[in-house]
């Protein structure tokens, strides 16, 4: 059983390293895979036949990873215990024809991904990272992690209305970053620069999935360093905790009674409808193939799914000291108060009473406090991969997470204790 949770600054240090090294979903899953490899996991290809051997395995597809650990002697109908999360965050993504500019400025044409707080991207030093596809179909990751681009804000002298009416940004006209000077905009300049940065021969890149990121590293904040400020906590904080929990369970001396799984999907921020999103077939395919690889039938698959539980872990809202009226008056999750249990009776979250009992048991086993979150009745409630997972696979699902401030900002804020507390709760859940 899990030892009682005590604050471990080492875990939070490691989270900060993970955030800095994961500017895109592709980097995040590569880093998660590397950590799982060190715990004995091995990659399996979806195009290969799978065997029913025990041990840790994982599948990579684009910006998604599904990893699972089969205990010794697991029957085909053994249920799964899943930690679900997502790898993507709102940001500025490079368009198919990226080279643009005007009035002597070189710019990069970008499209808005998800729902970012646009003002948080202004006057930030931005790098560029992502996935490059070569002529032979292979892919390479690239990360220019230095000040390369900037979305310059208009000086107040040229728009006095901002003091009275507030800042108003047009997504097309006002969010295009600059990256240099020059009157002649040449097609292919950005990709040629990235080929050189990645050590790829000129002209070999024929496809790309690129996005910008703030190059300011994560940092402890506050008088007592009890807070952490950093990028992409929504939702790499959960990906990191889930990876740590799965590795811990797989490395433990005792074998889990169920099959622990980490499922980290892409494209949650724009609806999850892709081959790497939670509304796609990836998770179901992996779970079914695991059952069949161990000699199972459709009946075994049905039995395994019926006993399966998923914790959908995604960041939520801590009570904001400047906007407390936006929160439910009786539910005020606080940072460093432990993970939150998310509830919405209209099924924007998948939690029900039995799910609450499941999460309570995990937190009690790990000696981790937890809090409850519901939205103010007058405010629309967000959603997660939880309801999608429950509906698509018929899997009992519980929505949880860590309470943060500044969600969808280029730089979010969480408590320094909470990532470790979440990882302990997830470990206890996977062990049960």
């Amino acid at each position: 059983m899990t030892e009682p949770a005590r604050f471990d600054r080492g875990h939070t240090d490691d989270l900060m390293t993970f955030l800095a090294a994961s500017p895109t979903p592709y980097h995040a899953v590569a880093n998660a895979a590397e950590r799982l490899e060190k715990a004995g996991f091995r990659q399996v290809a979806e195009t290969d036949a799978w065997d029913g051997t025990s041990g840790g395995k994982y599948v990579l597809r684009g910006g998604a990873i599904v990893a699972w650990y089969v205990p010794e002697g697991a029957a085909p109908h053994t249920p799964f215990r899943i930690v679900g999360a997502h790898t993507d965050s709102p940001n500025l993504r490079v368009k198919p024809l990226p080279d643009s500019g005007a009035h002597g400025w070189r710019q990069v044409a970008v499209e808005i991904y998800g729902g970012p707080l646009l003002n948080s991207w202004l006057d930030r030093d931005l790098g560029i990272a992502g996935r490059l596809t070569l002529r032979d179909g292979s892919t390479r990751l690239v990360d220019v992690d230095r000040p390369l681009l900037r979305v310059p804000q208009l000086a107040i002298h040229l728009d006095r209305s901002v003091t009275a009416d507030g800042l108003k940004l047009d997504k097309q006209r006002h969010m295009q970053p600059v990256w240099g000077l020059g009157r002649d905009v040449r097609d292919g300049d950005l990709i040629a620069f990235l080929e050189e940065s990645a050590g790829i021969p000129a002209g070999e890149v024929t496809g790309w999935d690129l996005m910008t990121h703030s190059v300011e590293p994560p940092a402890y904040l506050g008088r007592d360093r009890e807070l952490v400020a950093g990028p992409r906590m929504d939702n790499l904080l959960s990906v990191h905790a889930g990876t740590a929990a799965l590795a811990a369970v797989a490395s433990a001396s005792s074998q889990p009674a169920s099959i622990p799984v980490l499922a980290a999907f892409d494209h949650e921020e724009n609806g999850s409808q892709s081959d790497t999103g939670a509304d796609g077939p990836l998770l179901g395919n992996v779970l079914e193939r695991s059952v069949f690889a161990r000699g199972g039938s459709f009946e075994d698959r049905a039995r395994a799914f019926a006993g399966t539980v998923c914790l959908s872990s995604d960041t939520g809202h801590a009570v904001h000291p400047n906007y407390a009226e936006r929160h439910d008056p009786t539910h005020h999750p606080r940072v460093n108060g432990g993970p939150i249990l998310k509830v919405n009776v209209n099924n924007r979250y998948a939690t029900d009473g039995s799910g609450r009992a499941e999460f309570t048991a995990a937190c009690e086993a790990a000696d981790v406090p937890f809090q409850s979150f519901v939205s103010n009745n007058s405010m629309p409630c967000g959603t997660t991969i939880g309801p999608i997972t429950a509906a698509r696979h018929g899997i009992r699902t519980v929505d949880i997470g860590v309470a943060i401030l500044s969600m969808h900002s280029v730089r979010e804020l969480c408590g320094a204790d909470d990532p470790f507390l979440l990882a302990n709760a997830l470990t206890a859940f996977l062990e049960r």
Side-chain angles (χ1 to χ4, degrees):
M1 193 60 66
T2 308
E3 289 294 321
R6 299 177 180 86
F7 174 50
D8 182 353
R9 185 58 57 90
H11 179 89
T12 305
D13 289 343
D14 190 63
L15 168 63
M16 293 163 70
T17 299
F18 185 81
L19 293 174
S22 305
T24 75
Y26 313 111
H27 290 81
V29 298
N31 289 324
E34 182 180 2
R35 290 159 186 257
L36 291 173
E37 290 269 359
K38 292 179 180 177
F41 285 70
R42 62 181 177 87
Q43 184 175 2
V44 294
E46 292 184 83
T47 53
D48 291 344
W50 292 4
D51 59 47
T53 56
S54 59
K57 305 170 187 180
Y58 68 90
V59 165
L60 288 181
R61 184 192 288 186
I65 182 171
V66 179
W68 66 104
Y69 178 79
V70 180
E72 292 283 351
H77 61 268
T78 300
F80 302 91
R81 295 184 77 80
I82 305 167
V83 171
H86 68 88
T87 60
D88 59 320
S89 300
N91 58 15
L92 312 180
R93 302 205 170 186
V94 176
K95 288 184 175 181
L97 301 176
D99 299 291
S100 65
H103 307 290
W105 293 96
R106 291 187 183 277
Q107 294 178 275
V108 173
V110 297
E111 190 173 3
I112 309 301
Y113 176 83
L117 289 172
L118 294 180
N119 64 291
S120 71
W121 287 83
L122 301 178
D123 296 330
R124 295 273 186 179
D125 295 335
L126 304 177
I128 194 166
R131 180 179 64 175
L132 301 173
T133 303
L134 280 57
R135 291 186 180 277
D136 63 4
S138 63
T139 59
R140 293 274 293 277
L141 298 184
V142 62
D143 180 12
V144 181
D145 191 33
R146 66 170 178 85
L148 181 68
L149 307 100
R150 188 178 181 92
V151 183
Q153 191 167 189
L154 184 66
I156 192 171
H157 313 78
L158 302 179
D159 185 9
R160 301 283 184 179
S161 66
V162 297
T163 57
D165 302 330
L167 181 64
K168 297 179 181 179
L169 295 170
D170 183 282
K171 293 180 179 180
Q172 179 62 43
R173 293 185 296 123
H174 299 151
M175 297 305 298
Q176 307 306 310
V178 300
W179 76 306
L181 298 173
R183 293 188 176 279
D184 298 323
V185 175
R186 295 186 295 272
D187 289 340
D189 270 3
L190 178 65
I191 300 306
F193 167 77
L194 294 175
E195 285 176 330
E196 182 179 1
S197 299
I200 299 171
E204 283 298 301
V205 172
T206 56
W208 52 88
D209 302 279
L210 299 167
M211 54 204 77
T212 63
H213 65 278
S214 171
V215 300
E216 185 180 3
Y220 287 105
L221 183 143
R223 185 193 67 180
D224 299 319
R225 293 162 54 87
E226 70 269 46
L227 302 170
V228 174
R232 299 176 295 280
M233 291 183 186
D234 178 16
N235 186 34
L236 294 189
L237 190 158
S238 295
V239 175
H240 175 263
T243 302
L246 181 60
V249 172
S251 302
S253 56
S254 60
Q255 293 282 288
S258 300
I259 297 174
V261 179
L262 169 68
F265 302 102
D266 201 352
H267 302 129
E268 189 274 344
E269 297 293 356
N270 61 8
S272 295
Q273 292 185 324
S274 71
D275 69 321
T276 54
D279 203 20
L282 179 58
L283 177 60
N285 286 349
V286 168
L287 299 185
E288 289 181 349
R289 292 184 68 178
S290 176
V291 170
F292 299 149
R294 284 176 280 122
S297 62
F298 181 81
E299 180 72 9
D300 291 313
R301 179 260 188 214
R303 293 175 65 189
F305 276 45
T308 292
V309 184
C310 174
L311 290 189
S312 164
S313 182
D314 201 348
T315 54
H317 304 294
V319 62
H320 197 301
N322 298 337
Y323 301 91
E325 73 281 0
R326 301 296 182 100
H327 300 265
D328 183 83
T330 58
H331 294 74
H332 281 175
R334 301 178 184 275
V335 297
N336 287 337
I340 56 174
L341 180 73
K342 301 179 178 181
V343 178
N344 180 265
V345 295
N346 293 301
N347 288 334
R348 299 293 285 172
Y349 303 130
T351 307
D352 61 11
S354 65
R356 179 186 176 89
E358 187 75 51
F359 188 57
T360 298
C363 289
E364 288 178 347
D367 194 19
V368 166
F370 75 91
Q371 311 172 81
S372 295
F373 172 85
V374 295
S375 291
N376 185 306
N377 288 338
S378 299
M379 305 287 293
C381 180
T383 191
T384 68
I385 65 167
I388 294 171
T389 302
R392 182 171 181 83
H393 305 294
I395 290 172
R396 186 156 58 106
T397 304
V398 189
D399 271 296
I400 66 161
V402 162
I404 70 171
L405 293 183
S406 305
M407 187 183 292
H408 286 201
S409 171
V410 75
R411 199 165 175 83
E412 296 162 324
L413 187 69
C414 79
D417 294 11
D418 284 330
F420 179 63
L421 296 174
L422 174 65
N424 273 268
L426 296 183
T427 302
F429 165 75
L430 293 179
E431 285 177 338
R432 283 174 53 77

